[in-house]
PDB file of all heavy atoms in Angstrom:
ATOM      1  N   LEU I   1      -8.206   0.576  -3.722  1.00  0.00           N
ATOM      2  CA  LEU I   1      -6.960   1.044  -4.317  1.00  0.00           C
ATOM      3  C   LEU I   1      -6.723   0.224  -5.582  1.00  0.00           C
ATOM      4  O   LEU I   1      -6.768  -1.013  -5.542  1.00  0.00           O
ATOM      5  CB  LEU I   1      -5.778   0.857  -3.367  1.00  0.00           C
ATOM      6  CG  LEU I   1      -5.789   1.654  -2.062  1.00  0.00           C
ATOM      7  CD1 LEU I   1      -6.491   0.864  -0.956  1.00  0.00           C
ATOM      8  CD2 LEU I   1      -4.366   1.993  -1.625  1.00  0.00           C
ATOM      9  N   ALA I   2      -6.466   0.908  -6.681  1.00  0.00           N
ATOM     10  CA  ALA I   2      -6.271   0.220  -7.959  1.00  0.00           C
ATOM     11  C   ALA I   2      -5.009   0.740  -8.636  1.00  0.00           C
ATOM     12  O   ALA I   2      -4.939   1.912  -9.027  1.00  0.00           O
ATOM     13  CB  ALA I   2      -7.479   0.442  -8.875  1.00  0.00           C
ATOM     14  N   GLY I   3      -4.003  -0.124  -8.735  1.00  0.00           N
ATOM     15  CA  GLY I   3      -2.773   0.213  -9.444  1.00  0.00           C
ATOM     16  C   GLY I   3      -2.008   1.372  -8.847  1.00  0.00           C
ATOM     17  O   GLY I   3      -1.353   2.130  -9.576  1.00  0.00           O
ATOM     18  N   ILE I   4      -2.034   1.508  -7.522  1.00  0.00           N
ATOM     19  CA  ILE I   4      -1.378   2.642  -6.871  1.00  0.00           C
ATOM     20  C   ILE I   4       0.145   2.494  -6.948  1.00  0.00           C
ATOM     21  O   ILE I   4       0.705   1.473  -6.545  1.00  0.00           O
ATOM     22  CB  ILE I   4      -1.809   2.776  -5.398  1.00  0.00           C
ATOM     23  CG1 ILE I   4      -3.309   3.077  -5.299  1.00  0.00           C
ATOM     24  CG2 ILE I   4      -0.977   3.833  -4.687  1.00  0.00           C
ATOM     25  CD1 ILE I   4      -3.696   4.458  -5.770  1.00  0.00           C
ATOM     26  N   ARG I   5       0.781   3.548  -7.447  1.00  0.00           N
ATOM     27  CA  ARG I   5       2.240   3.591  -7.513  1.00  0.00           C
ATOM     28  C   ARG I   5       2.751   4.857  -6.826  1.00  0.00           C
ATOM     29  O   ARG I   5       2.112   5.911  -6.905  1.00  0.00           O
ATOM     30  CB  ARG I   5       2.727   3.570  -8.975  1.00  0.00           C
ATOM     31  CG  ARG I   5       2.400   2.265  -9.702  1.00  0.00           C
ATOM     32  CD  ARG I   5       2.885   2.282 -11.148  1.00  0.00           C
ATOM     33  NE  ARG I   5       2.600   1.018 -11.800  1.00  0.00           N
ATOM     34  CZ  ARG I   5       3.398  -0.052 -11.769  1.00  0.00           C
ATOM     35  NH1 ARG I   5       4.562   0.034 -11.125  1.00  0.00           N
ATOM     36  NH2 ARG I   5       3.067  -1.155 -12.371  1.00  0.00           N
ATOM     37  N   LYS I   6       3.890   4.735  -6.168  1.00  0.00           N
ATOM     38  CA  LYS I   6       4.495   5.893  -5.521  1.00  0.00           C
ATOM     39  C   LYS I   6       5.998   5.693  -5.432  1.00  0.00           C
ATOM     40  O   LYS I   6       6.478   4.640  -5.002  1.00  0.00           O
ATOM     41  CB  LYS I   6       3.917   6.090  -4.106  1.00  0.00           C
ATOM     42  CG  LYS I   6       4.434   7.338  -3.398  1.00  0.00           C
ATOM     43  CD  LYS I   6       3.962   8.612  -4.088  1.00  0.00           C
ATOM     44  CE  LYS I   6       4.471   9.848  -3.394  1.00  0.00           C
ATOM     45  NZ  LYS I   6       4.030  11.094  -4.090  1.00  0.00           N
ATOM     46  N   SER I   7       6.730   6.744  -5.857  1.00  0.00           N
ATOM     47  CA  SER I   7       8.184   6.730  -5.770  1.00  0.00           C
ATOM     48  C   SER I   7       8.655   7.965  -5.037  1.00  0.00           C
ATOM     49  O   SER I   7       8.000   9.016  -5.059  1.00  0.00           O
ATOM     50  CB  SER I   7       8.812   6.690  -7.168  1.00  0.00           C
ATOM     51  OG  SER I   7       8.475   5.492  -7.846  1.00  0.00           O
ATOM     52  N   PHE I   8       9.799   7.846  -4.398  1.00  0.00           N
ATOM     53  CA  PHE I   8      10.478   8.971  -3.787  1.00  0.00           C
ATOM     54  C   PHE I   8      11.851   9.071  -4.446  1.00  0.00           C
ATOM     55  O   PHE I   8      12.740   8.274  -4.144  1.00  0.00           O
ATOM     56  CB  PHE I   8      10.600   8.787  -2.276  1.00  0.00           C
ATOM     57  CG  PHE I   8       9.262   8.720  -1.576  1.00  0.00           C
ATOM     58  CD1 PHE I   8       8.712   7.478  -1.239  1.00  0.00           C
ATOM     59  CD2 PHE I   8       8.559   9.869  -1.276  1.00  0.00           C
ATOM     60  CE1 PHE I   8       7.485   7.408  -0.595  1.00  0.00           C
ATOM     61  CE2 PHE I   8       7.320   9.799  -0.639  1.00  0.00           C
ATOM     62  CZ  PHE I   8       6.787   8.576  -0.299  1.00  0.00           C
ATOM     63  N   GLY I   9      11.977   9.985  -5.368  1.00  0.00           N
ATOM     64  CA  GLY I   9      13.194  10.049  -6.162  1.00  0.00           C
ATOM     65  C   GLY I   9      13.311   8.808  -7.025  1.00  0.00           C
ATOM     66  O   GLY I   9      12.361   8.417  -7.717  1.00  0.00           O
ATOM     67  N   ALA I  10      14.468   8.167  -6.953  1.00  0.00           N
ATOM     68  CA  ALA I  10      14.675   6.949  -7.752  1.00  0.00           C
ATOM     69  C   ALA I  10      14.153   5.704  -7.062  1.00  0.00           C
ATOM     70  O   ALA I  10      14.169   4.612  -7.654  1.00  0.00           O
ATOM     71  CB  ALA I  10      16.169   6.787  -8.039  1.00  0.00           C
ATOM     72  N   ARG I  11      13.652   5.845  -5.826  1.00  0.00           N
ATOM     73  CA  ARG I  11      13.214   4.665  -5.062  1.00  0.00           C
ATOM     74  C   ARG I  11      11.719   4.437  -5.251  1.00  0.00           C
ATOM     75  O   ARG I  11      10.899   5.259  -4.861  1.00  0.00           O
ATOM     76  CB  ARG I  11      13.539   4.841  -3.581  1.00  0.00           C
ATOM     77  CG  ARG I  11      13.226   3.621  -2.735  1.00  0.00           C
ATOM     78  CD  ARG I  11      13.840   3.779  -1.353  1.00  0.00           C
ATOM     79  NE  ARG I  11      13.225   4.873  -0.606  1.00  0.00           N
ATOM     80  CZ  ARG I  11      12.244   4.704   0.267  1.00  0.00           C
ATOM     81  NH1 ARG I  11      11.740   3.493   0.501  1.00  0.00           N
ATOM     82  NH2 ARG I  11      11.759   5.736   0.920  1.00  0.00           N
ATOM     83  N   SER I  12      11.375   3.316  -5.840  1.00  0.00           N
ATOM     84  CA  SER I  12       9.971   2.937  -6.048  1.00  0.00           C
ATOM     85  C   SER I  12       9.468   2.212  -4.808  1.00  0.00           C
ATOM     86  O   SER I  12       9.995   1.170  -4.442  1.00  0.00           O
ATOM     87  CB  SER I  12       9.841   2.043  -7.285  1.00  0.00           C
ATOM     88  OG  SER I  12       8.499   1.652  -7.473  1.00  0.00           O
ATOM     89  N   VAL I  13       8.436   2.774  -4.153  1.00  0.00           N
ATOM     90  CA  VAL I  13       7.929   2.208  -2.901  1.00  0.00           C
ATOM     91  C   VAL I  13       6.666   1.388  -3.137  1.00  0.00           C
ATOM     92  O   VAL I  13       6.543   0.272  -2.646  1.00  0.00           O
ATOM     93  CB  VAL I  13       7.652   3.334  -1.881  1.00  0.00           C
ATOM     94  CG1 VAL I  13       7.054   2.762  -0.599  1.00  0.00           C
ATOM     95  CG2 VAL I  13       8.939   4.092  -1.568  1.00  0.00           C
ATOM     96  N   LEU I  14       5.704   1.930  -3.864  1.00  0.00           N
ATOM     97  CA  LEU I  14       4.496   1.185  -4.235  1.00  0.00           C
ATOM     98  C   LEU I  14       4.553   0.903  -5.729  1.00  0.00           C
ATOM     99  O   LEU I  14       4.751   1.811  -6.534  1.00  0.00           O
ATOM    100  CB  LEU I  14       3.240   1.975  -3.873  1.00  0.00           C
ATOM    101  CG  LEU I  14       3.030   2.263  -2.382  1.00  0.00           C
ATOM    102  CD1 LEU I  14       1.742   3.061  -2.163  1.00  0.00           C
ATOM    103  CD2 LEU I  14       3.001   0.981  -1.565  1.00  0.00           C
ATOM    104  N   LYS I  15       4.325  -0.365  -6.105  1.00  0.00           N
ATOM    105  CA  LYS I  15       4.586  -0.800  -7.483  1.00  0.00           C
ATOM    106  C   LYS I  15       3.346  -1.396  -8.145  1.00  0.00           C
ATOM    107  O   LYS I  15       3.403  -2.430  -8.795  1.00  0.00           O
ATOM    108  CB  LYS I  15       5.729  -1.821  -7.484  1.00  0.00           C
ATOM    109  CG  LYS I  15       6.997  -1.299  -6.817  1.00  0.00           C
ATOM    110  CD  LYS I  15       8.053  -2.372  -6.683  1.00  0.00           C
ATOM    111  CE  LYS I  15       9.282  -1.837  -5.968  1.00  0.00           C
ATOM    112  NZ  LYS I  15      10.330  -2.877  -5.787  1.00  0.00           N
ATOM    113  N   GLY I  16       2.218  -0.740  -7.939  1.00  0.00           N
ATOM    114  CA  GLY I  16       0.969  -1.266  -8.485  1.00  0.00           C
ATOM    115  C   GLY I  16       0.185  -1.971  -7.403  1.00  0.00           C
ATOM    116  O   GLY I  16      -0.043  -3.177  -7.464  1.00  0.00           O
ATOM    117  N   CYS I  17      -0.220  -1.210  -6.402  1.00  0.00           N
ATOM    118  CA  CYS I  17      -0.868  -1.763  -5.217  1.00  0.00           C
ATOM    119  C   CYS I  17      -2.384  -1.819  -5.433  1.00  0.00           C
ATOM    120  O   CYS I  17      -3.005  -0.799  -5.731  1.00  0.00           O
ATOM    121  CB  CYS I  17      -0.519  -0.892  -4.016  1.00  0.00           C
ATOM    122  SG  CYS I  17      -1.021  -1.574  -2.453  1.00  0.00           S
ATOM    123  N   ASP I  18      -2.973  -3.003  -5.293  1.00  0.00           N
ATOM    124  CA  ASP I  18      -4.414  -3.204  -5.451  1.00  0.00           C
ATOM    125  C   ASP I  18      -4.985  -3.773  -4.161  1.00  0.00           C
ATOM    126  O   ASP I  18      -4.475  -4.765  -3.641  1.00  0.00           O
ATOM    127  CB  ASP I  18      -4.708  -4.182  -6.596  1.00  0.00           C
ATOM    128  CG  ASP I  18      -4.191  -3.690  -7.934  1.00  0.00           C
ATOM    129  OD1 ASP I  18      -4.629  -2.615  -8.368  1.00  0.00           O
ATOM    130  OD2 ASP I  18      -3.331  -4.371  -8.521  1.00  0.00           O
ATOM    131  N   LEU I  19      -6.069  -3.156  -3.671  1.00  0.00           N
ATOM    132  CA  LEU I  19      -6.691  -3.625  -2.434  1.00  0.00           C
ATOM    133  C   LEU I  19      -8.120  -3.117  -2.377  1.00  0.00           C
ATOM    134  O   LEU I  19      -8.387  -1.964  -2.712  1.00  0.00           O
ATOM    135  CB  LEU I  19      -5.917  -3.127  -1.207  1.00  0.00           C
ATOM    136  CG  LEU I  19      -6.404  -3.601   0.167  1.00  0.00           C
ATOM    137  CD1 LEU I  19      -6.247  -5.112   0.296  1.00  0.00           C
ATOM    138  CD2 LEU I  19      -5.648  -2.889   1.285  1.00  0.00           C
ATOM    139  N   ASN I  20      -9.026  -3.991  -1.947  1.00  0.00           N
ATOM    140  CA  ASN I  20     -10.420  -3.597  -1.760  1.00  0.00           C
ATOM    141  C   ASN I  20     -10.840  -3.931  -0.335  1.00  0.00           C
ATOM    142  O   ASN I  20     -10.751  -5.080   0.096  1.00  0.00           O
ATOM    143  CB  ASN I  20     -11.329  -4.340  -2.750  1.00  0.00           C
ATOM    144  CG  ASN I  20     -12.760  -3.857  -2.663  1.00  0.00           C
ATOM    145  OD1 ASN I  20     -13.071  -2.716  -2.995  1.00  0.00           O
ATOM    146  ND2 ASN I  20     -13.649  -4.722  -2.201  1.00  0.00           N
ATOM    147  N   VAL I  21     -11.263  -2.903   0.411  1.00  0.00           N
ATOM    148  CA  VAL I  21     -11.701  -3.057   1.793  1.00  0.00           C
ATOM    149  C   VAL I  21     -13.205  -2.824   1.836  1.00  0.00           C
ATOM    150  O   VAL I  21     -13.685  -1.765   1.432  1.00  0.00           O
ATOM    151  CB  VAL I  21     -10.984  -2.055   2.730  1.00  0.00           C
ATOM    152  CG1 VAL I  21     -11.354  -2.338   4.183  1.00  0.00           C
ATOM    153  CG2 VAL I  21      -9.471  -2.130   2.538  1.00  0.00           C
ATOM    154  N   ALA I  22     -13.960  -3.803   2.323  1.00  0.00           N
ATOM    155  CA  ALA I  22     -15.420  -3.723   2.316  1.00  0.00           C
ATOM    156  C   ALA I  22     -15.930  -2.789   3.398  1.00  0.00           C
ATOM    157  O   ALA I  22     -15.234  -2.481   4.375  1.00  0.00           O
ATOM    158  CB  ALA I  22     -16.008  -5.125   2.508  1.00  0.00           C
ATOM    159  N   ASN I  23     -17.169  -2.348   3.246  1.00  0.00           N
ATOM    160  CA  ASN I  23     -17.817  -1.517   4.255  1.00  0.00           C
ATOM    161  C   ASN I  23     -17.804  -2.210   5.619  1.00  0.00           C
ATOM    162  O   ASN I  23     -18.193  -3.378   5.738  1.00  0.00           O
ATOM    163  CB  ASN I  23     -19.271  -1.247   3.863  1.00  0.00           C
ATOM    164  CG  ASN I  23     -19.394  -0.145   2.836  1.00  0.00           C
ATOM    165  OD1 ASN I  23     -18.699   0.863   2.920  1.00  0.00           O
ATOM    166  ND2 ASN I  23     -20.271  -0.321   1.867  1.00  0.00           N
ATOM    167  N   GLY I  24     -17.374  -1.515   6.642  1.00  0.00           N
ATOM    168  CA  GLY I  24     -17.404  -2.047   7.999  1.00  0.00           C
ATOM    169  C   GLY I  24     -16.378  -3.115   8.302  1.00  0.00           C
ATOM    170  O   GLY I  24     -16.403  -3.716   9.368  1.00  0.00           O
ATOM    171  N   GLU I  25     -15.449  -3.345   7.400  1.00  0.00           N
ATOM    172  CA  GLU I  25     -14.448  -4.398   7.566  1.00  0.00           C
ATOM    173  C   GLU I  25     -13.194  -3.861   8.256  1.00  0.00           C
ATOM    174  O   GLU I  25     -12.790  -2.717   8.030  1.00  0.00           O
ATOM    175  CB  GLU I  25     -14.074  -4.961   6.195  1.00  0.00           C
ATOM    176  CG  GLU I  25     -13.017  -6.051   6.220  1.00  0.00           C
ATOM    177  CD  GLU I  25     -12.714  -6.612   4.840  1.00  0.00           C
ATOM    178  OE1 GLU I  25     -12.623  -5.820   3.877  1.00  0.00           O
ATOM    179  OE2 GLU I  25     -12.567  -7.839   4.723  1.00  0.00           O
ATOM    180  N   ILE I  26     -12.587  -4.698   9.099  1.00  0.00           N
ATOM    181  CA  ILE I  26     -11.247  -4.406   9.615  1.00  0.00           C
ATOM    182  C   ILE I  26     -10.258  -5.179   8.753  1.00  0.00           C
ATOM    183  O   ILE I  26     -10.238  -6.414   8.762  1.00  0.00           O
ATOM    184  CB  ILE I  26     -11.093  -4.822  11.090  1.00  0.00           C
ATOM    185  CG1 ILE I  26     -12.098  -4.078  11.973  1.00  0.00           C
ATOM    186  CG2 ILE I  26      -9.674  -4.531  11.571  1.00  0.00           C
ATOM    187  CD1 ILE I  26     -12.058  -4.500  13.433  1.00  0.00           C
ATOM    188  N   MET I  27      -9.471  -4.451   7.986  1.00  0.00           N
ATOM    189  CA  MET I  27      -8.462  -5.048   7.112  1.00  0.00           C
ATOM    190  C   MET I  27      -7.087  -4.795   7.705  1.00  0.00           C
ATOM    191  O   MET I  27      -6.722  -3.644   7.968  1.00  0.00           O
ATOM    192  CB  MET I  27      -8.535  -4.427   5.717  1.00  0.00           C
ATOM    193  CG  MET I  27      -7.422  -4.856   4.768  1.00  0.00           C
ATOM    194  SD  MET I  27      -7.564  -6.580   4.217  1.00  0.00           S
ATOM    195  CE  MET I  27      -8.896  -6.387   3.006  1.00  0.00           C
ATOM    196  N   ALA I  28      -6.338  -5.846   7.963  1.00  0.00           N
ATOM    197  CA  ALA I  28      -4.955  -5.696   8.402  1.00  0.00           C
ATOM    198  C   ALA I  28      -4.042  -5.785   7.192  1.00  0.00           C
ATOM    199  O   ALA I  28      -4.224  -6.650   6.331  1.00  0.00           O
ATOM    200  CB  ALA I  28      -4.590  -6.777   9.415  1.00  0.00           C
ATOM    201  N   VAL I  29      -3.085  -4.884   7.115  1.00  0.00           N
ATOM    202  CA  VAL I  29      -2.053  -4.935   6.080  1.00  0.00           C
ATOM    203  C   VAL I  29      -0.764  -5.345   6.770  1.00  0.00           C
ATOM    204  O   VAL I  29      -0.222  -4.601   7.604  1.00  0.00           O
ATOM    205  CB  VAL I  29      -1.900  -3.583   5.355  1.00  0.00           C
ATOM    206  CG1 VAL I  29      -0.816  -3.684   4.281  1.00  0.00           C
ATOM    207  CG2 VAL I  29      -3.228  -3.161   4.730  1.00  0.00           C
ATOM    208  N   LEU I  30      -0.291  -6.536   6.447  1.00  0.00           N
ATOM    209  CA  LEU I  30       0.835  -7.160   7.141  1.00  0.00           C
ATOM    210  C   LEU I  30       2.054  -7.194   6.238  1.00  0.00           C
ATOM    211  O   LEU I  30       1.964  -7.611   5.082  1.00  0.00           O
ATOM    212  CB  LEU I  30       0.449  -8.586   7.556  1.00  0.00           C
ATOM    213  CG  LEU I  30       1.518  -9.459   8.205  1.00  0.00           C
ATOM    214  CD1 LEU I  30       1.911  -8.910   9.566  1.00  0.00           C
ATOM    215  CD2 LEU I  30       1.019 -10.906   8.335  1.00  0.00           C
ATOM    216  N   GLY I  31       3.178  -6.773   6.775  1.00  0.00           N
ATOM    217  CA  GLY I  31       4.401  -6.837   5.988  1.00  0.00           C
ATOM    218  C   GLY I  31       5.578  -6.297   6.778  1.00  0.00           C
ATOM    219  O   GLY I  31       5.404  -5.613   7.788  1.00  0.00           O
ATOM    220  N   PRO I  32       6.801  -6.574   6.315  1.00  0.00           N
ATOM    221  CA  PRO I  32       7.996  -6.116   7.031  1.00  0.00           C
ATOM    222  C   PRO I  32       8.209  -4.621   6.852  1.00  0.00           C
ATOM    223  O   PRO I  32       7.606  -3.984   5.979  1.00  0.00           O
ATOM    224  CB  PRO I  32       9.117  -6.921   6.364  1.00  0.00           C
ATOM    225  CG  PRO I  32       8.614  -7.151   4.964  1.00  0.00           C
ATOM    226  CD  PRO I  32       7.131  -7.347   5.103  1.00  0.00           C
ATOM    227  N   SER I  33       9.073  -4.055   7.669  1.00  0.00           N
ATOM    228  CA  SER I  33       9.419  -2.646   7.535  1.00  0.00           C
ATOM    229  C   SER I  33       9.988  -2.385   6.139  1.00  0.00           C
ATOM    230  O   SER I  33      10.787  -3.174   5.628  1.00  0.00           O
ATOM    231  CB  SER I  33      10.459  -2.245   8.588  1.00  0.00           C
ATOM    232  OG  SER I  33       9.935  -2.405   9.892  1.00  0.00           O
ATOM    233  N   GLY I  34       9.561  -1.278   5.536  1.00  0.00           N
ATOM    234  CA  GLY I  34      10.070  -0.900   4.224  1.00  0.00           C
ATOM    235  C   GLY I  34       9.305  -1.454   3.048  1.00  0.00           C
ATOM    236  O   GLY I  34       9.664  -1.186   1.893  1.00  0.00           O
ATOM    237  N   CYS I  35       8.230  -2.226   3.300  1.00  0.00           N
ATOM    238  CA  CYS I  35       7.504  -2.831   2.172  1.00  0.00           C
ATOM    239  C   CYS I  35       6.493  -1.868   1.548  1.00  0.00           C
ATOM    240  O   CYS I  35       5.929  -2.164   0.496  1.00  0.00           O
ATOM    241  CB  CYS I  35       6.807  -4.120   2.601  1.00  0.00           C
ATOM    242  SG  CYS I  35       5.371  -3.872   3.669  1.00  0.00           S
ATOM    243  N   GLY I  36       6.210  -0.730   2.197  1.00  0.00           N
ATOM    244  CA  GLY I  36       5.291   0.249   1.621  1.00  0.00           C
ATOM    245  C   GLY I  36       3.986   0.420   2.367  1.00  0.00           C
ATOM    246  O   GLY I  36       3.110   1.173   1.920  1.00  0.00           O
ATOM    247  N   LYS I  37       3.841  -0.229   3.532  1.00  0.00           N
ATOM    248  CA  LYS I  37       2.568  -0.196   4.257  1.00  0.00           C
ATOM    249  C   LYS I  37       2.164   1.228   4.662  1.00  0.00           C
ATOM    250  O   LYS I  37       1.039   1.665   4.400  1.00  0.00           O
ATOM    251  CB  LYS I  37       2.639  -1.054   5.531  1.00  0.00           C
ATOM    252  CG  LYS I  37       3.057  -2.481   5.347  1.00  0.00           C
ATOM    253  CD  LYS I  37       2.976  -3.261   6.638  1.00  0.00           C
ATOM    254  CE  LYS I  37       3.797  -2.708   7.772  1.00  0.00           C
ATOM    255  NZ  LYS I  37       5.251  -2.730   7.523  1.00  0.00           N
ATOM    256  N   THR I  38       3.074   1.933   5.310  1.00  0.00           N
ATOM    257  CA  THR I  38       2.739   3.272   5.801  1.00  0.00           C
ATOM    258  C   THR I  38       2.543   4.246   4.649  1.00  0.00           C
ATOM    259  O   THR I  38       1.666   5.122   4.711  1.00  0.00           O
ATOM    260  CB  THR I  38       3.831   3.770   6.763  1.00  0.00           C
ATOM    261  OG1 THR I  38       3.829   2.938   7.930  1.00  0.00           O
ATOM    262  CG2 THR I  38       3.574   5.204   7.187  1.00  0.00           C
ATOM    263  N   THR I  39       3.315   4.101   3.578  1.00  0.00           N
ATOM    264  CA  THR I  39       3.114   4.960   2.402  1.00  0.00           C
ATOM    265  C   THR I  39       1.712   4.765   1.839  1.00  0.00           C
ATOM    266  O   THR I  39       1.023   5.736   1.504  1.00  0.00           O
ATOM    267  CB  THR I  39       4.175   4.644   1.331  1.00  0.00           C
ATOM    268  OG1 THR I  39       5.474   4.934   1.850  1.00  0.00           O
ATOM    269  CG2 THR I  39       3.936   5.468   0.072  1.00  0.00           C
ATOM    270  N   MET I  40       1.271   3.526   1.752  1.00  0.00           N
ATOM    271  CA  MET I  40      -0.087   3.251   1.277  1.00  0.00           C
ATOM    272  C   MET I  40      -1.124   3.902   2.186  1.00  0.00           C
ATOM    273  O   MET I  40      -2.086   4.513   1.730  1.00  0.00           O
ATOM    274  CB  MET I  40      -0.322   1.741   1.216  1.00  0.00           C
ATOM    275  CG  MET I  40      -1.668   1.353   0.636  1.00  0.00           C
ATOM    276  SD  MET I  40      -2.100  -0.373   0.971  1.00  0.00           S
ATOM    277  CE  MET I  40      -2.532  -0.251   2.702  1.00  0.00           C
ATOM    278  N   LEU I  41      -0.911   3.783   3.503  1.00  0.00           N
ATOM    279  CA  LEU I  41      -1.853   4.353   4.462  1.00  0.00           C
ATOM    280  C   LEU I  41      -1.911   5.879   4.332  1.00  0.00           C
ATOM    281  O   LEU I  41      -2.990   6.481   4.391  1.00  0.00           O
ATOM    282  CB  LEU I  41      -1.444   3.959   5.883  1.00  0.00           C
ATOM    283  CG  LEU I  41      -2.560   3.852   6.918  1.00  0.00           C
ATOM    284  CD1 LEU I  41      -3.484   2.696   6.581  1.00  0.00           C
ATOM    285  CD2 LEU I  41      -1.980   3.674   8.316  1.00  0.00           C
TER     286      LEU I  41
END
């Protein structure tokens, strides 16, 4: 993921999300509710 942005109306949820997950890797995305984890997924 490179520079991913996503808004819902006036609410900005993802603000330039960068992440690289390697082949065969288990990557955990950790964060509080509302930080954008599920939107990214």
Side-chain angles (χ1 to χ4, degrees):
L1 296 90
I4 296 290
R5 295 180 178 273
K6 184 66 180 179
S7 296
F8 297 98
R11 185 168 66 96
S12 179
V13 177
L14 297 180
K15 305 173 182 179
C17 189
D18 299 300
L19 183 64
N20 185 67
V21 186
N23 280 319
E25 179 178 42
I26 300 177
M27 173 71 76
V29 180
L30 175 67
S33 298
C35 72
K37 305 185 302 296
T38 294
T39 298
M40 184 195 75
L41 209 67

